[in-house]
């Protein structure tokens, strides 16, 4: 395990994921209260809604998750420009303005990465956003019921719990700046977010997995907080580790971070989210704790419930948990 950046410079942090979990993680990382150099490595398998339409009609990489991360990294994520890029037009296939801007600029310049850099400049981003691959990829999988499914949207919303997924083509090339950021990092955060359709499409790029093997960074897996319908429905904490192990990726995890309710630490806590009864926490039984600890070099169980969003980690509490990991990194 390597050496952290202890020379007084910014801690080099890489977030790997996609979907809605990655921007929330970025928001938590920005609350760390210490200088960090942040890079978001984003999955490129999205084929739903606006991104899916643009992939099909413009033959471009899906812009949606990249846009979300750039907005989360904006100098002012709540400012007028950031909000405008998130604005959706119901009468235009529900496209987000940011997606249309990226599509138009990429078409005019013929340079997708230069387009992302321009948008980052407009937003005054405090970190970088990089695709994990520039190759057009599709995520496919098999459900627990034995149904073979192709496409991120269908896997996410229509197939039920998944057994395994794979990338097509399997030999997609890693975007080298993303791989290099991973190799040079001090801390890498995998997740939170949809395991099979947000995290796995990054890890299944061979060059990304190889960079994660080669890095000397501390690699943290943040398990999703809530058990939601779809690809991981009914999966408990051990089930997430089982899925990572079955795919060959559990060895890439140095620290696993799980939400677990702590009534003693937060007496009287009650969610204000009316959906709370529909989305229970990912189960972590007392009996499972020792088994989980035996499978990963380090495990943290922390209460990170958000009073207003039952499916999300509280960003302040997630930042506090990650600070514990960082403090350990800096002491080595």
């Amino acid at each position: 395990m390597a050496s952290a950046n202890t020379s007084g410079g910014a801690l080099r942090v890489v977030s790997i994921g996609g979907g809605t979990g990655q921007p929330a993680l970025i928001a938590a990382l920005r609350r760390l209260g210490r200088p960090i150099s942040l890079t978001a490595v984003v999955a490129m398998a999205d084929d739903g809604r606006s991104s899916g339409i643009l992939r099909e009609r413009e033959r471009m990489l899906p812009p949606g998750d990249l846009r979300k991360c750039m907005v989360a990294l904006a100098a002012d994520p709540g400012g007028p420009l950031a909000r405008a890029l998130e604005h959706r037009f119901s009468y235009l296939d529900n496209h987000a303005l940011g997606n249309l801007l990226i599509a138009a600029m990429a078409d005019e310049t013929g340079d997708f990465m230069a387009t992302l850099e321009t948008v980052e400049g407009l937003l005054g981003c405090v970190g970088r956003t990089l695709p994990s691959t520039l190759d057009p990829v599709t995520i496919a999988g098999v459900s627990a019921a034995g149904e073979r499914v192709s496409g991120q949207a269908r896997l996410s919303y229509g197939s039920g719990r998944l057994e395994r997924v794979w990338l097509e083509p399997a030999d997609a090339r890693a975007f080298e700046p993303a791989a290099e950021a991973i190799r040079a990092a001090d801390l890498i955060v995998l997740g939170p977010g949809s395991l099979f359709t947000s995290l796995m499409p990054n890890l299944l790029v061979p060059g990304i997995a190889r960079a994660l093997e080669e890095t000397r960074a501390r690699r943290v897996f943040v398990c999703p907080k809530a058990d939601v319908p779809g690809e991981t429905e009914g999966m408990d904490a051990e089930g997430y580790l089982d899925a990572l192990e079955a795919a060959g990726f559990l060895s890439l995890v140095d620290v696993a971070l799980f939400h677990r309710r702590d009534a003693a630490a937060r007496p009287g806590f009650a969610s204000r989210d009316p959906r709370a009864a529909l989305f229970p926490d990912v189960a972590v039984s007392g009996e499972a704790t020792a088994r989980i600890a035996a499978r990963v070099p380090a495990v943290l169980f922390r209460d990170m419930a958000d009073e207003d969003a039952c499916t999300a980690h509280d960003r302040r509490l997630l930042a506090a948990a990650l600070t514990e990991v960082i403090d350990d990194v800096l002491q080595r």
Side-chain angles (χ1 to χ4, degrees):
M1 188 72 44
S3 68
N5 179 10
T6 56
S7 62
L11 195 76
R12 295 162 298 198
V13 181
V14 174
S15 159
I16 300 180
T20 58
Q22 192 169 21
L25 184 276
I26 290 170
L29 290 170
R30 295 185 68 173
R31 301 178 69 107
L32 291 177
R34 68 184 71 211
I36 64 170
S37 173
L38 182 54
T39 301
V41 175
V42 183
M44 288 290 98
D46 186 8
D47 61 4
R49 302 208 303 171
S50 174
S51 285
I53 293 170
L54 291 171
R55 281 191 71 170
E56 179 182 353
R57 298 179 184 175
E58 296 292 328
R59 298 292 186 266
M60 63 180 291
L61 292 173
D65 290 352
L66 294 164
R67 180 202 81 244
K68 292 173 189 173
C69 288
M70 287 190 287
V71 167
L73 287 165
D76 183 3
L81 178 58
R83 295 201 314 272
L85 293 184
E86 294 288 80
H87 180 81
R88 291 187 178 274
F89 297 93
S90 58
Y91 52 88
L92 293 176
D93 291 324
N94 208 37
H95 282 297
L97 176 61
N99 290 359
L100 295 176
L101 176 63
I102 292 169
M105 290 182 64
D107 187 54
E108 290 295 331
T109 64
D111 191 330
F112 187 80
M113 288 310 304
T115 293
L116 296 187
E117 291 173 8
T118 298
V119 176
E120 286 175 333
L122 290 172
L123 289 166
C125 288
V126 298
R128 303 174 68 199
T129 298
L130 303 173
S132 56
T133 179
L134 298 183
D135 293 343
V137 294
T138 300
I139 191 79
V142 173
S143 72
E147 179 188 6
R148 187 183 178 105
V149 183
S150 181
Q152 178 268 334
R154 291 186 64 211
L155 287 166
S156 294
Y157 306 116
S159 59
R161 181 165 168 172
L162 299 177
E163 189 70 29
R164 66 184 182 93
V165 294
W166 58 88
L167 209 60
E168 297 175 349
D171 61 350
R173 297 162 296 176
F175 182 46
E176 186 52 35
E180 180 52 39
I182 291 168
R183 286 190 289 265
D186 301 308
L187 177 73
I188 295 168
V189 185
L190 308 169
S194 301
L195 176 66
F196 291 108
T197 57
S198 291
L199 180 57
M200 289 282 197
N202 294 294
L203 304 184
L204 288 166
V205 176
I208 297 298
R210 189 161 51 250
L212 281 163
E213 291 172 349
E214 295 169 349
T215 187
R216 300 182 69 188
R218 186 66 55 84
R219 302 161 299 184
V220 184
F221 169 64
V222 181
C223 184
K225 176 190 174 293
D227 182 1
V228 299
E231 62 187 78
T232 53
E233 185 171 0
M235 188 179 289
D236 63 10
E238 286 185 284
Y240 276 89
L241 298 187
D242 290 342
L244 286 169
E245 186 170 46
F249 300 135
L250 187 57
S251 62
L252 302 179
V253 175
D254 301 308
V255 183
L257 175 58
F258 298 95
H259 163 74
R260 184 167 62 186
R261 180 79 177 92
D262 186 344
R266 302 176 74 184
F269 174 87
S271 174
R272 294 191 288 261
D273 189 335
R275 307 170 300 160
L278 300 175
F279 303 117
D281 293 340
V282 169
V284 187
S285 68
E287 296 78 11
T289 301
R291 295 194 298 268
I292 291 171
R295 300 177 67 182
V296 183
V299 180
L300 293 178
F301 299 99
R302 297 292 182 268
D303 188 340
M304 297 175 283
D306 188 315
E307 292 180 346
D308 299 309
C310 67
T311 61
H313 297 84
D314 180 285
R315 295 173 183 180
R316 176 181 58 85
L317 297 174
L318 176 55
L322 291 171
T323 295
E324 294 183 55
V325 179
I326 292 170
D327 287 344
D328 185 55
V329 168
L330 293 175
Q331 290 171 8
R332 290 178 177 259

